[in-house]
Amino acid sequence: MNIETKKSGQQQRRATPTASAMAKIAGFMQRMNIECTPANFELIFAVLSGENDELRKEFSQLSKNITQQDLDPLIRKHISHHMEDDIASESIETVGDELNEFIELVQSESNSLEKFDQVIKQQTQTLADPKNVSPEKLKSTLSTITAATQQKMEEGKKVREAVSAQARRLDGVAQGLSDFKQQKFMDALTGLPNRRAFNKELLTIYKGERARNCSLLVIDIDAHTNIKENLGSLIADKFVVHIGAIIEQVCQDSDFLARSGDTQFSVLFWNINDQTAKSIADKAKAITAKTPLLNASNGQPIGSVTISGGICGSNIATSTGELMSRAEAALSMSKSKNGNQVTVFEERRTGDTDLERASYSFYEAS
């Protein structure tokens, strides 16, 4: 099927919802007296988009008079990249405190060694002339040395324990930074890279003088809303994990797969053409249709779903935004035909007029 549209008209239709959404968010923040910072804006966008049920629920439980102190925990939890500077500052402060404490321990150990050394020297001087050492004095000297040695050993033990505790705390700081980095770029539900990681990878395509050769595949689960309404959010999430695993199964290690939305996955296939990407997407589509989600407790099938896909190559887009919008436009075409289809977006280059060069066609395949 071949459908032609004017580029300017398509861009206008895309721009209107975006502007409307931004105005809606700005108006909501103004009504709620929420400061319009980038972190707050992204948080409210996530709330109003409805893609994060957990965030939406937590936000609804806030009091009517929302403060920044109410919002910060939600920002830290759900869009943690905005808290990166705070996390780094806290880590530096913690390490600094531990280093200061370590310096105090070293100084304490040095003072302890100095006192022990003085005791040994004093008692050694007492025994310097054996003729003047009585049995009682010898016993007293040995007792003093023994007590000082035991005290030094006990102090040394405390220092070792304190150093070990510090090491554990510093390991905790390192683990916290590692967890933060992982959380920043990983989707908690599927274990795949998240939208933030995908955007970062996407930016590499047009970074150089020439675009990197790749095909972008965007996949969405058909009728996922019905699954959530009929079977609940828990089962709906299991379907998301199920589909993510199937797509990962057909991808190569060199491909970049991410969960780019609530029910959406995106794959960057490097150095292959659109038709090869389509064959991979068709394979994922076929496996999905014939592979039901199983109940983990009894092994019985819960049900099957279908997926739709849209593909666009980097050779017919001039920016990441254009690449994404065209792949998603192809996905929309697949969805409009009852799903379970993969559509490739291609630009016509055979026309002689500006109008023909600006028109596009979708090539659809079931």
Side-chain angles (χ1 to χ4, degrees):
M1 179 178 292
N2 186 304
I3 299 176
E4 296 185 0
T5 59
K6 294 182 180 180
K7 181 177 181 181
S8 58
Q10 185 185 50
Q11 289 177 332
Q12 184 177 6
R13 287 194 296 274
R14 286 201 303 266
T16 301
T18 302
S20 176
M22 292 179 68
K24 182 179 179 181
I25 295 167
F28 179 85
M29 294 178 70
Q30 186 176 20
R31 290 194 302 274
M32 301 297 291
N33 292 320
I34 297 174
E35 185 180 0
C36 194
T37 64
N40 288 347
F41 192 90
E42 185 172 343
L43 180 72
I44 300 305
F45 176 84
V47 171
L48 296 181
S49 68
E51 292 187 354
N52 188 328
D53 289 337
E54 183 181 3
L55 170 58
R56 196 177 181 89
K57 181 179 179 181
E58 291 173 353
F59 186 84
S60 67
Q61 293 173 347
L62 297 179
S63 64
K64 291 183 179 181
N65 298 319
I66 298 175
T67 66
Q68 191 61 47
Q69 287 71 28
D70 296 325
L71 298 176
D72 284 344
L74 299 182
I75 294 172
R76 182 183 291 273
K77 181 177 180 181
H78 296 283
I79 50 172
S80 56
H81 59 288
H82 281 288
M83 307 298 290
E84 187 168 8
D85 291 341
D86 290 344
I87 296 292
S89 297
E90 289 176 7
S91 299
I92 292 172
E93 184 178 346
T94 300
V95 171
D97 291 342
E98 295 297 335
L99 287 175
N100 288 333
E101 187 173 333
F102 183 75
I103 291 172
E104 291 177 3
L105 284 171
V106 171
Q107 186 62 49
S108 175
E109 176 68 1
S110 176
N111 293 338
S112 176
L113 284 171
E114 186 176 345
K115 291 179 180 179
F116 181 71
D117 184 58
Q118 290 176 354
V119 170
I120 297 300
K121 286 181 178 180
Q122 290 174 356
Q123 300 306 314
T124 301
Q125 290 174 358
T126 301
L127 301 175
D129 187 359
K131 296 179 179 179
N132 296 326
V133 178
S134 65
E136 291 77 11
K137 182 176 290 189
L138 178 61
K139 184 178 179 180
S140 174
T141 299
L142 292 176
S143 177
T144 300
I145 293 175
T146 300
T149 302
Q150 289 177 343
Q151 182 179 355
K152 184 65 196 73
M153 290 176 64
E154 188 64 30
E155 290 173 350
K157 180 181 178 181
K158 290 180 179 179
V159 170
R160 289 193 299 272
E161 290 175 349
V163 171
S164 296
Q166 275 195 319
R168 289 193 296 271
R169 289 193 293 272
L170 290 173
D171 285 343
V173 172
Q175 185 62 49
L177 289 172
S178 177
D179 291 345
F180 173 77
K181 184 177 180 180
Q182 187 178 40
Q183 180 186 17
K184 182 179 178 181
F185 293 109
M186 187 189 77
D187 174 56
L189 180 62
T190 63
L192 295 171
N194 59 15
R195 180 68 186 227
R196 192 175 299 116
F198 173 70
N199 287 343
K200 184 178 180 182
E201 188 74 8
L202 200 64
L203 290 173
T204 66
I205 299 174
Y206 299 95
K207 188 175 182 180
E209 294 183 1
R210 291 185 178 181
R212 297 177 66 186
N213 179 30
C214 69
S215 290
L216 169 62
L217 165 66
V218 181
I219 288 177
D220 192 61
I221 303 174
D222 297 327
H224 189 264
T225 301
N226 294 337
I227 296 172
K228 185 178 291 187
E229 290 176 352
N230 295 325
L231 300 178
S233 297
L234 182 61
I235 298 299
D237 285 347
K238 290 184 182 297
F239 270 104
V240 171
V241 175
H242 175 64
I243 299 305
I246 290 175
I247 300 172
E248 189 173 22
Q249 177 184 333
V250 302
C251 290
Q252 302 293 320
D253 290 341
S254 58
D255 304 329
F256 189 88
L257 165 63
R259 184 188 179 199
S260 52
D262 186 31
T263 61
Q264 192 176 92
F265 297 88
S266 296
V267 189
L268 285 171
F269 298 107
W270 302 109
N271 299 315
I272 66 172
N273 58 38
D274 293 345
Q275 291 306 314
T276 303
K278 181 186 174 302
S279 67
I280 298 172
D282 284 336
K283 184 177 180 180
K285 178 170 67 71
I287 295 173
T288 299
K290 68 179 182 181
T291 307
L293 173 66
L294 301 179
N295 188 322
S297 61
N298 56 26
Q300 296 300 309
I302 295 175
S304 298
V305 294
T306 60
I307 57 175
S308 294
I311 296 172
C312 183
S314 60
N315 61 315
I316 62 168
T318 59
S319 66
T320 55
E322 193 171 58
L323 180 65
M324 277 297 301
S325 65
R326 292 182 175 186
E328 290 178 346
L331 171 63
S332 296
M333 178 62 66
S334 295
K335 303 283 279 188
S336 70
K337 298 299 181 180
N338 299 320
N340 197 28
Q341 300 184 47
V342 177
T343 303
V344 178
F345 187 102
E346 294 186 5
E347 182 179 16
R348 292 183 57 188
R349 297 181 180 276
T350 57
D352 294 326
T353 67
D354 290 340
L355 179 61
E356 288 176 321
R357 283 195 294 270
S359 63
Y360 308 107
S361 55
F362 296 95
Y363 293 87
E364 179 184 19
S366 59

